[in-house]
Amino acid sequence: MELPPIPPEERTPLVESLLAIIYLLQDRVQQLEETVQQLRDEIAVLKGQKPRPEIAPSRLESPAPQPRPEGSQRPGSQKRPKNAQLVITEEIRLSVVDAPAGSVSKGFEEYVVQELVIHAKATRYLRERVRTPDGDSVLAPLPEDVIPGSHFGPKLIAYILQQYHHNHVTQPLLLEDLEERGIDMSAGQLSRILVEGKESFHQEKAELLPAGLAVSSYVGVDDTGARHDGRNGFCTVISNQWFASFESTDSKSRLNFLQVLQGAVRSYVINAATWAYWDRQRLSAEWAEKLSRGPREFGDDAAWQTRLAELGSAGEQPVRSATEGALLGGLIARGVSPDLVTLSDGAQQFFVFAHAACWIHAERPLIRMVPFNDEHRAVIAKVRHQIWELYKDLKAYGQHPDASQKRLLEARFDAFCNQRAGFANVQTVLHDMREHKPYLLRILERPEVPLHNNGTESDIRDYVKKRKISGSTRSDEGRRCRDTFASLKKTCRKLGVRFWDYLLDRVRGLGTIPRLANLIRQRAAEHQRATVEAAPG
């Protein structure tokens, strides 16, 4: 409320008192409006709605930047030379027409124009057929670039695969796009191009996970919903900086995760790693002894199930624990390191090998917590600040490990988790972090392991985007193709291989781009050499 100006001669003691009361009421009204908005935001959170967004202040309100030293460049102005990586496919010389008499040429100036040429091309091959003197019939062969048995060229097939799996274009839109470009193709033909005859791609995808596990010291793991054939299912991703492997299944559990780690070919082995797992799961000594008598290696699911049937029923949980341990033993027998770290958001099914937990997920309950009052809000802010101060120092340790800092960081973590917050729900978060101490502090033993699983969540987010656009899969081959091409695309990106070049190379059957599994091993070897060279001493 705007008050009219009051001349000094009219400002009697009564007027001054009334003005003070008005100003006080204005302050109280503003405080009440802020409190009401806070309560509305908290109610919205409880209802599952998003609170009103806070608009960041304009950059114009920020302090004026300090003047740059003379001769220095503006931050961000260092750019790569234009057209440095451009391949010139055509060069045309343009000369001056009707130049005046006596003019002298001073050479040519470059002017580069980039264009994309997309047009339909239909070629009719007239294949001569001849009859030889001995009565045989010979038909002229097709050019090498023509795919046997297909009436569609390799560039068109690669374009379809790229649009569907990389750009997430749905089949109806893709069919419409092709028709508008002059391509005569039915919906059934498009579906067959996307799904059928992809064994070579499936085989290359199957090579990714064994190669990645063999050369990696850690992998990130995550899963998401993947509805298939009218039923709810799940997709698990296993990835790090060199590869990504997606696998859709009907359930998610530790047993399922171990089966995914093994891939299509399963093996069950009873060895030291198996016994260690059985001990952690408290499998009865009698049942473990029965399993250990007789054969200790089983080449497939059927052989293992036959062995379990021979020993008789022991209950669902003991059989599950025994199977999980045998699968883990099979992985170790294949060469997977028992010291492999699995980095996850804390889901229990991923607690195999040496586990590491994500700090961002550990803090997330505090973000979602609805404060009771200002004191509670202040406690939450204080604990979150302490978390990220400790996180910052752990991150610095990971970049430059120092053995003398390990005990100090561990003691700080203990002091942080053992503090008395004063509120039960905040205390629960601290208790959970204390229970997960070995996983949250895995970086002290393994500095190469990230403190968060953002990379893996980013990998699976692309799969979620595809699921939201195209919906669920219907056929088993369709689900298999979605996993395969999601894995190949992500792995190509991590290895610096353009997905279009990869698709065109594989569709044509050229093999000029190395197998992705070989590139994974090559990148890991290069990283190992660089680490050794950078090590002090």
Side-chain angles (χ1 to χ4, degrees), residues 150-457:
S150 175
H151 292 280
F152 302 102
K155 284 186 179 179
L156 176 57
I157 292 176
Y159 175 79
I160 290 172
L161 293 174
Q162 193 224 27
Q163 288 294 302
Y164 185 76
H165 292 290
H166 181 68
N167 295 338
H168 304 316
V169 180
T170 61
Q171 289 191 42
L173 285 177
L174 185 50
L175 186 63
E176 183 179 340
D177 174 62
L178 295 173
E179 289 175 351
E180 290 183 351
R181 298 188 188 281
I183 299 295
D184 184 11
M185 181 181 295
S186 68
Q189 288 171 322
L190 176 62
S191 179
R192 284 191 289 273
I193 288 175
L194 290 170
V195 173
E196 296 179 3
K198 299 297 180 289
E199 282 305 319
S200 60
F201 290 103
H202 296 321
Q203 178 57 41
E204 187 156 12
K205 183 258 184 179
E207 298 170 3
L208 299 180
L209 185 57
L213 294 177
V215 300
S216 301
S217 61
Y218 80 92
V219 291
V221 291
D222 200 2
D223 54 32
T224 186
R227 191 170 175 82
H228 173 66
D229 195 22
R231 300 187 302 274
N232 291 330
F234 302 91
C235 178
T236 301
V237 62
I238 304 169
S239 68
N240 59 19
Q241 70 269 40
W242 296 314
F243 79 102
S245 179
F246 295 82
E247 190 69 31
S248 295
T249 54
D250 295 331
S251 65
K252 67 172 183 177
S253 62
R254 189 173 300 171
L255 178 61
N256 174 74
F257 177 54
L258 288 164
Q259 291 171 340
V260 170
L261 282 171
Q262 287 227 0
V265 180
R266 307 267 171 78
S267 60
Y268 299 79
V269 178
I270 299 175
N271 52 24
T274 308
W275 273 96
Y277 182 84
W278 288 348
D279 288 341
R280 292 196 301 272
Q281 296 299 311
R282 296 184 174 87
L283 185 67
S284 69
E286 179 184 358
W287 182 242
E289 285 291 341
K290 286 184 179 180
L291 288 167
S292 299
R293 299 192 201 110
R296 298 198 171 200
E297 296 185 10
F298 307 88
D300 53 30
D301 293 335
W304 175 253
Q305 293 300 326
T306 300
R307 177 59 175 163
L308 292 176
E310 291 174 353
L311 297 177
S313 176
E316 181 180 350
Q317 185 57 44
V319 169
R320 176 178 288 270
S321 296
T323 303
E324 291 170 353
L327 285 168
L328 179 60
L331 285 167
I332 302 301
R334 291 184 184 185
V336 177
S337 172
D339 297 324
L340 178 73
V341 175
T342 54
L343 171 63
S344 79
D345 57 6
Q348 293 291 320
Q349 68 265 27
F350 300 128
F351 279 47
V352 294
F353 297 104
H355 186 256
C358 172
W359 276 73
I360 294 176
H361 283 82
E363 184 231 12
R364 191 163 292 175
L366 293 171
I367 300 176
R368 296 173 175 170
M369 201 172 289
V370 179
F372 303 147
N373 48 44
D374 289 342
E375 184 182 359
H376 191 201
R377 186 176 290 105
V379 170
I380 294 173
K382 171 190 170 185
V383 173
R384 290 185 63 194
H385 176 74
Q386 292 173 339
I387 286 177
W388 294 118
E389 284 296 309
L390 185 54
Y391 176 94
K392 181 177 66 176
D393 293 339
L394 287 169
K395 182 178 179 181
Y397 174 89
Q399 294 170 344
H400 304 285
D402 183 356
S404 63
Q405 294 295 312
K406 291 178 64 174
R407 289 188 177 181
L408 176 62
L409 290 168
E410 189 172 353
R412 283 180 57 190
F413 181 88
D414 290 339
F416 163 73
C417 292
N418 292 329
Q419 65 178 305
R420 304 302 301 173
F423 290 91
N425 47 8
V426 178
Q427 205 68 47
T428 300
V429 175
L430 296 175
H431 173 77
D432 290 342
M433 292 186 69
R434 182 169 62 247
E435 291 295 312
H436 292 85
K437 173 182 175 180
Y439 315 127
L440 290 169
L441 295 185
R442 185 67 66 189
I443 192 172
L444 298 180
E445 304 169 5
R446 305 287 293 277
E448 77 279 9
V449 178
L451 288 166
H452 57 75
N453 69 335
N454 286 357
T456 308
E457 288 198 332

